[in-house]
Structures are given as C-alpha cells and as structure tokens.
Amino acid sequence: MIEVQSYLREIREAVLENRKLLAILIDPDKFKETEAADFINNLPAETTHILVGGSTVEPGQTCNVVKAIKNLCGLPVILFPGDHSQISAYADALLFLSLISGRNPEFLIEQQVRSVEKIKNTDLEIIPTGYILIDGGNETSVQKVSNTVPLAQTEIQQIVNTALAGQYSGKKLIYLEAGSGAKFPVSPEIIKTVKSSLKIPLIVGGGIRSKRLLQKAYNAGADLVVIGTAFEDGTFD
Ligand code: 1GP
C-alpha cells in the first residue's frame, strides 16, 4: 500500500523524537513574488515549514505566493488562513483553524463552513487546529479582525482548559498565539503548563523576535514555533 504523505504525521514523529520545528510565516499582503528567491535563500537553516496567511489578504494573492514558494523550494507549505478566501489548492496542507479562545461564531464555525467548497476537491491535508489567542501586550490584527478578546497571560487554568477542550473535541494541534507583532510572546510558564496537559503537538507564535525567545519557547515545550514579523523585517537575531 502506498503511504499517503501526511504533514501531521511528520509533526507527530518530530515530537516523539524530540526534534523541534520552525515555521516561517509569510503574510501574503506584504510579500512580493519577485523577492521569493531572496526569501528562500535567507531562510534560517532550521526552517522546517513555511506558513502562509494573514488577517486580511487581497483575493488571489495567497495562491500567487504559494505558487512562487512551491516553485523554488521543497519545504512543506501550510496554509494559515485568516478567512476562507485564503485557501489555495497549491499548498500542501491547511491548518483548519477554530478560534476556540473566542466566542465569535464567525471564526468558530462560519468561516469553516464557507471554506468547504474550496477544500473538498483538493489534495490539501486538512489539519484541525485549536487556535488560542493570548494577550501579547498590544492589540494585534487577529484580535481586531476576529473581534474576540484574548485570554490574559495570568488566566493559565482557562488557557489549559481551552486547549484541552480543543483536544477533546478532536483538534490535532493546538496553536498558542500572542498575535503577529505582539509586544511579548506567550510566557514559558503557559507553554509549559499547556504542553504538560496535552497529548497533541503544540504550536507557539507571536512576538518571537530572537533566538533567545525561540529557545525559551522550545525549552518550555513548544513543538513548532512560528516566526513572522522579525524575519519579514530582517530583525531576527
Ligand atoms: C502570527 O504567530 C505568528 O500569527 C507570528 O507572529 O509575526 O509576531 O512573529 P510574529
């Protein structure tokens, strides 16, 4: 029997082998396809995934970006869509996100239902993901666009319970998000407590601007860390 490629399985295998994963996030609205080659050449050697998505993106732009990246590199390209319009059949997989920290039905189920027609005839691997927005010290675009209130970093039990509610309802990944350009990232204490409660892989992103913060997130238990802004600005050090 031919084994179907599964990006989720690869993430799970990495977790079992204690290999840390690094995703660089492209916001399609800020990305020029003409600079794709430079982008690829400058990726940190440790990069294991490319994530593509943003809070608001011009129609068609996600597809252009995904195609440009897929033409130039073999890393898995995973969609991280702000809404159903950002789904591109050219990517490898899709984080099928539910914003489970919020109580806005638009991002709990409406966008998911609206994306079905775009997904059902593609080969995209669909990865159900519980997305938890945590306060990163400033109002980020995801907060504005989703019209939801982030969980305070002091609400650790609520964050853990939200992550577990995601796991119990069948999510395959949990993503702790401080928001793109967050002033401060999700704290190591939160990462550690959530990770020790979960049986599924943990993604952490938002406000991770340096190798030191990256290492802290890994040490606390993040399996996959997402970096966008600092790499985009060239300030990651
Ligand atoms: C945003 O978690 C990602 O969804 C990345 O955040 O842009 O702050 O790295 P930054």
Side-chain angles (χ1 to χ4, degrees):
M1 195 176 100
I2 300 170
E3 278 232 333
V4 179
Q5 173 128 25
S6 162
Y7 298 96
L8 175 61
R9 188 171 56 225
E10 286 176 10
I11 292 172
R12 286 181 177 145
E13 282 168 5
V15 173
L16 284 176
E17 293 163 9
N18 206 23
R19 274 186 287 118
K20 296 298 184 183
L21 303 169
L22 175 64
I24 300 298
L25 172 66
I26 299 177
D27 181 339
D29 257 5
K30 298 184 190 152
F31 191 83
K32 295 192 185 73
E33 291 93 279
T34 49
E35 290 165 10
D38 278 349
F39 171 86
I40 301 292
N41 290 335
N42 290 327
L43 283 173
E46 300 79 12
T47 309
T48 55
H49 298 81
I50 308 283
L51 253 55
V52 179
S55 295
T56 51
V57 174
E58 283 293 306
Q61 183 54 13
T62 302
C63 259
N64 297 339
V65 170
V66 171
K67 282 192 216 164
I69 297 295
K70 292 290 302 171
N71 275 337
L72 292 167
C73 93
L75 289 171
V77 175
I78 301 187
L79 298 172
F80 172 55
D83 62 42
H84 76 284
S85 72
Q86 295 176 37
I87 290 170
S88 161
Y90 297 96
D92 297 305
L94 163 69
L95 295 184
F96 199 61
L97 302 164
S98 293
L99 181 51
I100 57 176
S101 55
R103 298 295 179 266
N104 183 351
E106 182 71 26
F107 295 96
L108 281 165
I109 189 62
E110 178 64 22
Q111 287 294 325
Q112 291 78 352
V113 173
R114 293 181 76 182
S115 59
V116 167
E117 289 300 324
K118 291 209 171 102
I119 293 171
K120 66 182 188 191
N121 295 320
T122 70
D123 292 327
L124 286 169
E125 180 184 356
I126 312 299
I127 307 179
T129 303
Y131 189 51
I132 299 178
L133 183 58
I134 295 173
D135 179 37
N138 49 353
E139 197 191 16
T140 55
S141 331
V142 55
Q143 184 181 342
K144 276 185 231 160
V145 170
S146 69
N147 199 16
T148 66
V149 182
L151 298 174
Q153 298 231 2
T154 46
E155 290 183 89
I156 298 192
Q157 197 55 53
Q158 180 68 3
I159 296 171
V160 170
N161 290 352
T162 305
L164 279 174
Q167 177 181 291
Y168 297 155
S169 53
K171 307 299 182 215
K172 304 298 184 201
L173 300 174
I174 293 293
Y175 190 142
L176 298 180
E177 169 73 278
S180 192
K183 236 190 221 167
F184 46 82
V186 178
S187 74
E189 191 190 354
I190 294 171
I191 298 173
K192 194 169 171 215
T193 317
V194 171
K195 176 66 186 172
S196 64
S197 312
L198 281 182
K199 292 201 168 96
I200 55 178
L202 181 63
I203 305 178
V204 176
I208 297 177
R209 296 177 303 273
S210 64
K211 287 192 180 138
R212 188 182 63 85
L213 290 173
L214 174 64
Q215 202 51 54
K216 268 182 131 175
Y218 283 150
N219 292 347
D223 298 307
L224 188 159
V225 169
V226 182
I227 298 177
T229 309
F231 186 70
E232 199 175 275
D233 295 351
T235 53
F236 186 75
D237 62 1

